[in-house]
Amino acid sequence: MYNSKSTFNITKKYINSKMKLVNNKIKLKIILYSIFIIFIDQISKFIVLNTLGFYKSKNIIPNLLNFTLVKNKGAAFSILSNSTSLLTIISILASLLLITIILKSPPSSYWNLIGTSYLLGGTIGNGIDRLFNGYVLDFIDFVPINFPIFNVADISINIAIICFIIDLLKSKSKSNIKY
């Protein structure tokens, strides 16, 4: 069978172009998922702010869930309270770093893709609050437990962590397979 070098180069170019197309679709998916998360986060904060106002509580599910809108000038669990400038810079840098990672080398697994989307969406969602308000709006308040009030962006960041752990465990279990 005759196989020329030019046929090999054409096949290689075709495969490379297909791979680039797949990578671009993955990048677009991550960005679109992140935008959706940002949208849900910002809309939920806007609705709760305009219907409830600050420091008032509305019972949503009796003995389980209240919406209580508060200003959080810190990070998770109010760490670094009143360090809004530092947290704003960290949010911007983290978002830019995540976008760079997505554009340079998109995630290679499903769980990493989902985790990256949620992390970017949550980081930008809270970053928008810090940048424009000087604080993050938190409103989800679990009644039966003494847990900090949080928001959709915080949930997204926690989902991202869970996705990264699942990805790590799955990749570790694949590497432990013996042939």
Side-chain angles (χ1 to χ4, degrees):
M1 178 176 208
Y2 178 74
N3 194 358
S4 72
K5 195 173 188 178
S6 64
T7 306
F8 176 73
N9 284 337
I10 291 170
T11 306
K12 185 178 173 184
K13 284 180 184 177
Y14 176 77
I15 291 170
N16 284 341
S17 69
K18 287 292 184 186
M19 287 175 58
K20 192 177 271 189
L21 183 64
V22 168
N23 277 341
N24 287 339
K25 283 184 180 181
I26 290 170
K27 292 173 192 177
L28 182 61
K29 262 186 190 177
I30 293 169
I31 300 298
L32 289 176
Y33 288 159
S34 298
I35 290 170
F36 179 73
I37 292 164
I38 296 163
F39 178 76
I40 296 297
D41 176 63
Q42 292 297 305
I43 291 296
S44 66
K45 291 171 182 174
F46 177 80
I47 290 170
V48 172
L49 176 63
N50 286 311
T51 57
L52 188 60
F54 285 107
Y55 305 107
K56 295 177 188 163
S57 196
K58 172 85 172 151
N59 186 259
I60 304 302
I61 301 173
N63 300 319
L64 182 64
L65 178 67
N66 287 346
F67 281 176
T68 307
L69 191 65
V70 297
K71 298 176 184 179
N72 182 354
K73 294 188 178 189
F77 305 102
S78 295
I79 297 169
L80 296 173
S81 288
N82 298 317
S83 299
T84 305
S85 298
L86 174 65
L87 291 171
T88 302
I89 291 167
I90 290 171
S91 289
I92 291 169
L93 292 176
S95 299
L96 291 174
L97 178 64
L98 283 167
I99 291 168
T100 303
I101 289 169
I102 292 165
L103 295 177
K104 295 282 182 186
S105 59
S108 58
S109 73
Y110 171 80
W111 289 108
N112 202 285
L113 182 145
I114 299 299
T116 303
S117 301
Y118 275 93
L119 185 58
L120 180 61
T123 302
I124 292 176
N126 280 342
I128 289 170
D129 285 7
R130 285 191 183 97
L131 188 62
F132 293 106
N133 301 327
Y135 51 84
V136 172
L137 292 171
D138 289 334
F139 63 92
I140 302 170
D141 183 12
F142 280 118
V143 177
I145 56 175
N146 187 17
F147 195 77
I149 299 172
F150 54 98
N151 60 41
V152 172
D154 297 336
I155 294 169
S156 297
I157 292 168
N158 284 288
I159 290 171
I161 292 167
I162 292 167
C163 289
F164 293 141
I165 290 169
I166 291 170
D167 185 58
L168 184 67
L169 293 174
K170 282 188 157 285
S171 65
K172 190 166 183 87
S173 69
K174 283 181 186 177
S175 67
N176 286 338
I177 297 173
K178 297 186 182 190
Y179 296 96

